[in-house]
């Protein structure tokens, strides 16, 4: 049970003195969450109250099943935008149908995450490389920011998932700007930035929400055309099964898969960051998938749309000193109190204030510093980031992510197809064998011996490259060459295609009167050598632990040590 519900393990060592810290942390997060949740629901195209609904059951489930004490689950800007874009591609008639599909999407996202967690497939998220994520999040942040211009300007503006369309629509509606909405929104932005620079511990979001409500109420600004949140339904969400439809689910599955992976990546990245910082948490990646999946699935039964971890709220929870996931339960209690008693207080909340919260919150997702570093040091990865950014910005988020993943995989294949191939030689007055291109005159070059190192696994994609490079350097030695030593320390796998190639190469080299040696092969590689055809053409006495032993054997074949035989010949008994 403790594996399924990690909270049981924490409660066994829970101390009474930690309870006030959890209460303070939970309530602090709740104060930020309530206006944020309503704002993010607007991004998703949902009524603000659905942001509060998404802040109940998912948080409660994660409190019992999550492995991070400070991970704050709930609505976030990125997932909200993906919901809006995914549902925006469907022909949906009426707000009720739109809401029903958003809830169904939450169930599908949760189901995918849950299944991935059960089958321990959290590693799939590693295919979302950092340049892809950075390009995607930067572009999505810009789309989110500009999508909020309609609330900042107080105008009706057609939405889109393409930046240029949003920008052009905003330009067209500038003459219709409501001056009061614009002033309130700008004031909210400046206050949030100012409070953040002055003292990050000040509840800036709560302050501007209160000021916005008071300004509209006391100065009767609703009569000036300011757009407000209006009536928010009181009471808790009821238990309602999502509207399952096979046809609809087939249409939604691509965006559900994207949301499942992106949401998990956000959660595990934030959780790992907190773990490294406080050195107290022990994040279990697969349990996090199960917890997040359960939170989304069960949340959908109580009218929640897809949720994941929030960076800003998680940081607040961690800084507040929360000691366990109980803090999430206290956040839920505050949301419940708000839904039952306090929703009338938000009637006069200007939508421009919510827009300012969103704009400031997501601006930090635009990571120019990382792009600059890639441009300086890794231009190939910068290209992946740039393509992902541009496609996400101008074509679509889903297309941007998929293209970015494809480009990063192609880059990986390209790198492994032509990995580093080094010629080694002994450094003078030492036992070290290093790359001759790096050490130049400091190495001792021999015409009768070629030592090479291949810095990758050997597989079908680079086997021809290995063979061609080896023959090239052998031909440079000419007729004086009597021995070749392959330093295999970096070769952790040899597939069947490479095995066949290596067998033919070794056989040909030995037939030409040149000895072939392998040095430094790790255990799994030796197992492959022994159970494949390689051992048929390369006797065991030509396997060595270190390069210097192979060189010594080349110079004096009678000098093989007992240790060399014991270690170099060792093999996994299962490979017999």
């Amino acid at each position: 049970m403790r594996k399924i519900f990690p909270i049981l393990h924490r409660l066994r060592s829970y101390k009474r003195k930690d309870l006030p810290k959890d209460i303070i942390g939970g309530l602090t997060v709740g104060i930020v969450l309530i206006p944020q949740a309503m704002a993010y629901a607007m991004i998703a195209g949902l009524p603000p109250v659905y942001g509060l609904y998404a802040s109940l059951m998912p948080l409660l489930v994660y409190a019992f099943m999550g492995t991070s004490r400070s991970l704050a689950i709930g609505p976030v800007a990125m997932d909200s935008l993906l919901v809006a874009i995914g549902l925006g591609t469907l022909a949906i008639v009426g707000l009720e149908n739109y809401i029903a599909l958003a809830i169904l999407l939450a169930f599908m996202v949760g189901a995918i995450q849950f299944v991935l967690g059960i089958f321990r497939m959290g590693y799939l998220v590693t295919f979302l490389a950092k340049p892809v994520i950075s390009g995607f999040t930067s572009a999505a942040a810009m789309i989110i920011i500009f999508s909020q211009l309609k609330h900042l300007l107080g105008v009706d503006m057609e939405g889109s998932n393409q930046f240029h369309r949003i920008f052009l629509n905003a330009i067209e509606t500038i003459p219709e700007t409501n001056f009061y909405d614009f002033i309130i929104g700008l004031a909210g932005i400046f206050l949030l930035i100012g409070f953040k620079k002055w003292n990050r511990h000040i509840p800036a979001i709560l302050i501007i929400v209160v000021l916005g409500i008071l300004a509209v109420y006391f100065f009767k600004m609703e009569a000036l055309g300011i757009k407000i949140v209006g009536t928010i339904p009181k009471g808790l969400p009821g238990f309602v099964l999502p509207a399952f439809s096979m046809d609809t689910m087939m249409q939604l599955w691509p965006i559900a898969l994207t949301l499942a992976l992106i949401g998990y990546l956000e959660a595990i990245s934030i959780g790992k960051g907190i773990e490294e910082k406080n050195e107290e948490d022990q994040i279990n990646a697969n349990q996090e998938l199960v917890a997040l999946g359960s939170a989304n699935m069960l949340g959908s039964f109580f009218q929640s749309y897809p949720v994941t971890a929030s960076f800003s709220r998680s940081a607040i929870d961690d800084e507040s000193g929360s000691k366990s996931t109980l803090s999430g339960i206290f956040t839920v209690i505050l949301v419940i109190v708000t839904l039952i008693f306090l929703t009338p207080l938000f009637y006069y909340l200007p939508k421009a204030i919510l827009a300012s919260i969103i704009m400031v919150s997501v601006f930090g997702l635009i990571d120019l510093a990382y792009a600059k570093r890639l441009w300086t040091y890794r231009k190939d990865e910068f290209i992946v980031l740039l393509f992902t950014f541009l496609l996400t910005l101008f074509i679509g988020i889903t297309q941007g992510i998929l293209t970015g993943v494809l480009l990063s995989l192609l880059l990986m294949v390209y790198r492994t197809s032509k990995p580093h191939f080094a010629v080694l030689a002994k450094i003078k007055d030492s036992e070290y064998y290093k790359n001759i291109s790096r050490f130049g005159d400091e190495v001792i070059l021999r015409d009768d011996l070629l030592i090479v190192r291949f810095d990758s696994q050997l597989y079908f994609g680079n086997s021809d490259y290995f063979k061609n490079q080896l023959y090239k350097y052998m031909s440079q030695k000419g007729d004086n060459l009597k021995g070749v030593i392959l330093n295999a320390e970096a070769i952790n796998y040899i597939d069947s295609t490479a095995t066949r190639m290596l067998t033919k190469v070794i056989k040909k080299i030995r037939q030409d009167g040149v000895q072939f040696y392998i040095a430094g092969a790790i255990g799994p590689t030796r197992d492959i050598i022994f159970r494949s055809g390689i051992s048929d053409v390369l006797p065991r006495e030509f396997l060595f632990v270190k390069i210097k032993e192979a060189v010594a054997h080349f110079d004096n074949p009678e000098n093989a040590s007992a240790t060399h035989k014991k270690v170099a010949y060792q093999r996994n008994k299962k490979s017999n």
Side-chain angles (χ1 to χ4, degrees):
M1 287 295 289
R2 286 197 296 268
K3 288 184 178 180
I4 300 174
F5 301 107
I7 193 174
L8 299 178
H9 176 72
R10 290 193 187 92
L11 290 177
R12 291 183 64 188
S13 58
Y14 193 76
K15 299 175 182 178
R16 186 176 297 178
K17 66 179 182 179
D18 292 333
L19 184 60
K21 295 179 181 179
D22 282 336
I23 294 174
I24 293 171
L27 296 181
T28 304
V29 170
I31 289 170
V32 176
L33 170 62
I34 290 168
Q36 268 192 349
M38 292 192 291
Y40 294 155
M42 287 168 49
I43 296 177
L46 297 166
V49 72
Y50 281 87
L52 299 179
Y53 292 164
S55 304
L56 291 174
M57 184 56 68
L59 277 70
L60 198 59
V61 172
Y62 185 84
F64 284 91
M65 301 185 69
T67 60
S68 173
R69 64 176 177 81
S70 296
L71 208 60
I73 300 299
V76 299
M78 189 69 65
D79 283 31
S80 298
L81 179 64
L82 286 170
V83 169
I85 290 170
L87 297 183
T89 59
L90 306 178
I92 303 173
V93 179
L95 180 60
E96 289 186 2
N97 291 327
Y98 185 93
I99 293 170
L101 290 183
I103 294 170
L104 174 61
L105 189 59
F107 179 86
M108 292 177 65
V109 169
I112 292 171
Q113 291 171 333
F114 185 83
V115 170
L116 292 177
I118 291 296
F119 287 98
R120 309 182 68 81
M121 298 177 70
Y123 68 88
L124 287 177
V125 79
T126 58
F127 289 102
L128 295 170
K130 173 67 175 174
V132 175
I133 295 302
S134 181
F136 156 67
T137 53
S138 296
M142 291 185 64
I143 293 172
I144 291 171
I145 289 171
F146 276 81
S147 71
Q148 295 307 300
L149 285 177
K150 64 181 180 181
H151 301 301
L152 190 71
L153 301 177
V155 297
D156 293 323
M157 191 174 79
E158 184 179 351
S160 176
N161 66 338
Q162 297 174 332
F163 175 79
H164 58 286
R165 293 186 181 276
I166 298 174
F167 182 78
L168 291 175
N169 291 340
I171 294 295
E172 291 176 357
T173 56
I174 284 178
E176 304 170 20
T177 299
N178 184 310
F179 178 76
Y180 300 101
D181 269 313
F182 184 60
I183 292 299
I184 287 177
L186 279 185
I189 291 172
F190 286 125
L191 285 173
L192 284 171
I193 295 173
F195 281 127
K196 187 176 181 181
K197 289 185 176 181
W198 182 31
N199 189 333
R200 297 178 65 93
H201 296 289
I202 294 175
I205 291 177
L206 178 63
I207 290 173
I208 69 163
V209 166
V210 172
L211 290 176
I213 292 172
L214 293 177
V216 172
Y217 179 78
F218 284 108
F219 294 102
K220 309 297 182 183
M221 299 181 77
E222 187 181 2
L224 300 174
I226 285 181
K227 296 185 182 299
I228 60 175
V229 169
T231 303
I232 298 177
K234 291 180 64 174
L236 301 178
F239 178 86
V240 179
L241 288 174
F244 295 105
S245 166
M246 186 56 66
D247 291 339
T248 305
M249 292 173 71
M250 291 301 294
Q251 291 178 300
L252 289 178
W253 81 263
I255 193 65
L257 179 62
T258 303
L259 270 165
L261 293 178
I262 293 294
Y264 171 65
L265 178 66
E266 290 177 277
I268 200 67
S269 299
I270 296 168
K272 287 290 185 183
I274 294 173
E275 178 184 27
E276 291 174 6
K277 179 182 176 182
N278 59 37
E279 297 182 352
E280 293 182 18
D281 286 351
Q282 291 184 347
I283 303 296
N284 183 317
N286 290 303
Q287 177 61 25
E288 285 298 299
L289 265 175
V290 172
L292 203 57
S294 301
N296 274 304
M297 281 195 297
L298 293 175
S300 70
F301 297 143
F302 294 90
Q303 303 179 52
S304 168
Y305 74 98
V307 299
T308 187
S310 162
F311 178 81
S312 60
R313 297 195 299 271
S314 298
I316 291 170
D317 196 41
D318 184 53
E319 290 172 3
S320 299
S322 297
K323 293 298 182 181
S324 74
T325 52
L326 285 176
S327 62
I329 296 176
F330 293 110
T331 301
V332 171
I333 291 172
L334 183 58
V335 176
I336 290 173
V337 170
T338 300
L339 279 168
I340 295 175
F341 302 107
L342 305 180
T343 52
L345 297 179
F346 292 99
Y347 179 89
Y348 291 102
L349 176 61
K351 288 187 176 181
I353 289 293
L354 293 179
S356 68
I357 293 171
I358 293 168
M359 288 177 163
V360 174
S361 297
V362 303
F363 183 78
L365 296 175
I366 303 174
D367 195 349
L368 294 177
Y370 180 69
K372 185 178 179 180
R373 286 199 303 273
L374 289 185
W375 172 252
T376 304
Y377 302 110
R378 299 305 301 263
K379 287 186 170 57
D380 52 354
E381 293 188 32
F382 175 81
I383 292 172
V384 173
L385 184 152
L386 182 63
F387 266 87
T388 305
F389 174 79
L390 293 176
L391 286 171
T392 301
L393 202 63
F394 296 109
I395 305 299
I397 283 185
T398 306
Q399 294 90 330
I401 293 174
L402 294 177
T403 304
V405 170
L406 178 61
L407 285 175
S408 61
L409 291 176
L410 289 175
L411 179 60
M412 180 189 70
V413 171
Y414 174 77
R415 286 175 179 165
T416 58
S417 67
K418 293 186 177 181
H420 187 237
F421 192 103
V423 177
L424 311 181
K426 185 179 180 182
I427 296 179
K428 297 174 183 177
D429 302 321
S430 78
E431 296 296 326
Y432 297 112
Y433 288 82
K434 297 296 181 180
N435 190 340
I436 63 173
S437 65
R438 289 180 178 270
F439 290 86
D441 296 336
E442 299 178 44
V443 298
I444 302 172
L445 295 174
R446 296 179 55 169
D447 293 333
D448 61 338
L449 182 64
L450 173 66
I451 307 173
V452 297
R453 188 184 72 227
F454 191 69
D455 295 338
S456 174
Q457 62 174 312
L458 264 171
Y459 76 111
F460 65 91
N462 60 26
S463 59
D464 282 342
Y465 175 76
F466 172 87
K467 179 178 67 176
N468 294 335
Q469 290 293 100
L470 180 61
Y471 284 158
K472 181 182 78 172
Y473 289 114
M474 287 178 63
S475 65
Q476 291 176 1
K477 293 285 185 179
D479 296 334
N480 294 324
L481 182 64
K482 301 301 179 184
V484 175
I485 299 175
L486 170 62
N487 178 14
E489 290 176 338
I491 302 175
N492 57 13
Y493 182 73
I494 307 175
D495 77 354
S496 58
T497 302
T499 297
R500 186 178 180 187
M501 175 277 299
L502 196 56
T503 301
K504 291 182 178 180
V505 167
I506 294 172
K507 186 176 181 180
K508 181 180 184 304
I509 289 174
R510 289 171 63 84
Q511 287 176 347
D512 292 341
V514 178
Q515 293 295 352
F516 191 91
Y517 308 86
I518 295 179
I522 61 175
T525 304
R526 287 199 306 271
D527 292 340
I528 294 172
I529 290 172
F530 288 136
R531 66 171 176 254
S532 67
I534 297 175
S535 59
D536 296 335
V537 296
L538 186 69
R540 291 187 179 187
E541 57 266 26
F542 290 90
L543 295 175
F544 295 87
V545 179
K546 296 182 178 179
I547 296 175
K548 67 177 184 179
E549 295 175 348
V551 174
H553 187 276
F554 172 74
D555 292 331
N556 187 355
E558 304 299 325
N559 249 351
S561 68
T563 302
H564 148 243
K565 293 178 180 178
K566 179 180 178 181
V567 178
Y569 300 174
Q570 186 272 337
R571 61 188 293 190
N572 189 335
K573 294 180 180 179
K574 292 181 180 180
S575 66
N576 289 330

